[in-house]
Amino acid sequence: MKQEGVQPDITTYKHLLDACAQQKLNAEARAIFEDMLAMGIQPDRQIFHNLLKSSAPVEQFELHRVLRLMEEWRIQPNEITYEIIITRLARAQRLELALQYLAQLGRAGLSPTLKTASAIITTAAELGFPRLALDLALAFEETSVRRLDTEVWVDVLISSAEALYADGTVSVWQKVVDEMHILPDEGCCIQVLHTAARHGLSDLALSVIEVLKKIEVVWSEHHVAPVIEALCQRNELKEAIIMLDFMRKNDIVPTLETASPILQTISKDTDAVDNAWGTLEILHEEGHTIDAVALNVVIQAAISLHDLQRAIGTYKASSKLDVKLDADTFNLLLLGCIEARHRQLGDRLLSEMKEAGIKPDTTTYERMVRLCLTQSMYEDAFFYLEEMKSLNMVPPLIVYDALVRKLFSVGDVRYKLALEELKECGYDVPKRLKSFIDSGGAHDGSSKASRPKAESVVL
């Protein structure tokens, strides 16, 4: 161009610097800038903007150099200048420095652009600072006629939920779902459910369930379980129990694990167990179906309090509630029998289980073996072990652990056969069991808990 005698003007240099900015050619941009000055052309703000864009986000020295040049040429940074600086810092996740320039922008009497606000808010959210991200978002929308994009608010929602930040999750969920009418995806919904469960936000949890339905996600146990936990956090026991039947009616199989928040709520003392039973009676009188898990968790609470008498009473009274018993019902009661060493009651329960047409499972046989081992006459333990194997059930490790300990303790050499069978099933000998044998039964590598005393239970 110069060879043809055509003198470049500022527009020519702007185009050249813009090309350098797009390709991040900082060295070339600096050379073009020097050539422009040599031609006697005075730079304007756009020239400096392209210089800023041409440097890599991590090159802080170049950033400060360009700002000093602007100061020397008496060109004041404007909103776009700060936008370039802050968005580049945000992409480099230099959040603290970006916030410093944001504060500097405010002191200069300027307002951040939408792009500036979005970049720094998104970065704060991604780096795990949901409270900061929310404060920045609210401050921007309070002082600007522009509204943040939905993607920015969803980023703040996800960040709040991941950090279990309750206030932020609630307010941003309302903003996104109720005001902006945006339906978050399933991943976001699950994160929000976790926060709702942790902080007892049952209304929020139920709102999430409705959103999952709208986006056509098939409800599963892991969707509804946080709702039950949230209800229990608020001591809304009745509603939590109703959710178990709600799950069953929507083809979701609730389990004792699903009901674990209910267990934590009602296993504080016997009064809490009795209150839970009263709640079941009220629900039955109101026409609600009582799910087997609801009954089982009451029995489980009584067992956890070592109150086998109350657990049996609950089981006997279950017919009043028209509850369809399952294997878990009897397995829980058998666990209580083991703690109380009540073999006669265990045999009676096993008979009633079969009479009810409920097929014993692996847990049933495991507990019958362990129950037999609590007695001085323990030969029936082998009967139940063999019956388990005849049904193609693999005995759990806990069965062999209990069997070896019992046989070794009484000097029954068959403990060696039990050890061999344990290995044949693919199990490794537990360290505590090995320690128990090596010490002659003196210890198992941990402090022994006191054994529960036998308890009399009315049959």
Side-chain angles (χ1 to χ4, degrees), residues 156-320:
V156 178
L157 174 60
I158 294 172
S159 180
S160 298
E162 287 179 344
L164 301 177
Y165 172 35
D167 293 341
T169 303
V170 171
S171 62
V172 182
W173 178 268
Q174 292 173 347
K175 175 78 175 181
V176 171
V177 176
D178 299 335
E179 296 181 22
M180 306 178 78
H181 305 292
I182 301 298
L183 299 178
D185 61 23
E186 183 183 6
C188 178
C189 288
I190 290 175
Q191 292 290 352
V192 174
L193 281 173
H194 291 164
T195 302
R198 174 69 66 88
H199 297 281
L201 305 173
S202 54
D203 291 339
L204 174 62
L206 291 170
S207 175
V208 176
I209 292 296
E210 288 300 318
V211 167
L212 287 170
K213 183 178 181 180
K214 290 178 182 177
I215 62 177
E216 299 182 347
V217 171
V218 178
W219 287 334
S220 300
E221 191 272 346
H222 65 273
H223 295 132
V224 186
V227 181
I228 294 176
E229 184 176 351
L231 290 167
C232 290
Q233 288 279 3
R234 295 173 59 88
N235 291 318
E236 296 176 355
L237 178 61
K238 184 177 179 181
E239 289 74 13
I241 293 174
I242 290 175
M243 288 301 298
L244 296 173
D245 182 53
F246 168 83
M247 293 176 69
R248 191 81 67 176
K249 289 178 179 177
N250 284 277
D251 299 322
I252 306 170
V253 180
T255 64
L256 285 172
E257 185 177 355
T258 311
S260 58
I262 298 177
L263 175 64
Q264 293 178 6
T265 301
I266 67 175
S267 60
K268 297 175 182 177
D269 51 44
T270 54
D271 288 340
V273 176
D274 292 341
N275 178 63
W277 172 257
T279 302
L280 295 182
E281 290 183 317
I282 292 172
L283 287 171
H284 182 258
E285 291 172 0
E286 293 177 352
H288 292 280
T289 301
I290 305 301
D291 193 88
V293 175
L295 173 70
N296 292 344
V297 77
V298 177
I299 293 174
Q300 187 179 21
I303 296 297
S304 69
L305 294 172
H306 310 291
D307 193 340
L308 182 57
Q309 186 76 50
R310 185 172 261 96
I312 292 295
T314 303
Y315 157 68
K316 292 294 185 182
S318 62
S319 58
K320 301 177 183 178

Side-chain angles (χ1 to χ4, degrees), residues 378-389:
Y378 53 85
E379 286 301 317
D380 284 347
F382 294 98
F383 167 77
Y384 288 112
L385 178 61
E386 292 304 318
E387 187 172 349
M388 185 188 308
K389 291 189 287 185

Side-chain angles (χ1 to χ4, degrees), residues 56-176:
V58 295
E59 295 177 357
Q60 302 306 319
F61 174 78
E62 183 64 20
L63 170 65
H64 294 303
R65 190 187 73 83
V66 175
L67 290 176
R68 284 197 302 270
L69 285 172
M70 290 183 68
E71 186 177 349
E72 291 174 5
W73 285 94
R74 297 183 179 180
I75 297 176
Q76 295 297 321
N78 65 359
E79 290 90 344
I80 302 302
T81 311
Y82 283 106
E83 176 186 299
I84 296 169
I85 296 171
I86 293 174
T87 54
R88 287 161 55 79
L89 291 171
R91 285 197 298 271
Q93 296 191 334
R94 300 293 299 274
L95 180 60
E96 185 175 354
L97 192 55
L99 289 170
Q100 291 178 11
Y101 279 103
L102 182 66
Q104 186 176 324
L105 179 151
R107 290 194 296 269
L110 303 174
S111 298
T113 64
L114 177 62
K115 190 175 180 180
T116 301
S118 298
I120 198 167
I121 291 168
T122 299
T123 300
E126 290 176 349
L127 292 177
F129 299 102
R131 192 184 300 271
L132 172 61
L134 179 56
D135 289 344
L136 290 171
L138 293 175
F140 175 78
E141 293 207 340
E142 285 176 1
T143 57
S144 175
V145 295
R146 301 290 301 277
R147 302 293 94 179
L148 293 168
D149 293 337
T150 56
E151 291 84 356
V152 176
W153 280 110
V154 171
D155 286 340
V156 178
L157 174 60
I158 294 172
S159 180
S160 298
E162 287 179 344
L164 301 177
Y165 172 35
D167 293 341
T169 303
V170 171
S171 62
V172 182
W173 178 268
Q174 292 173 347
K175 175 78 175 181
V176 171

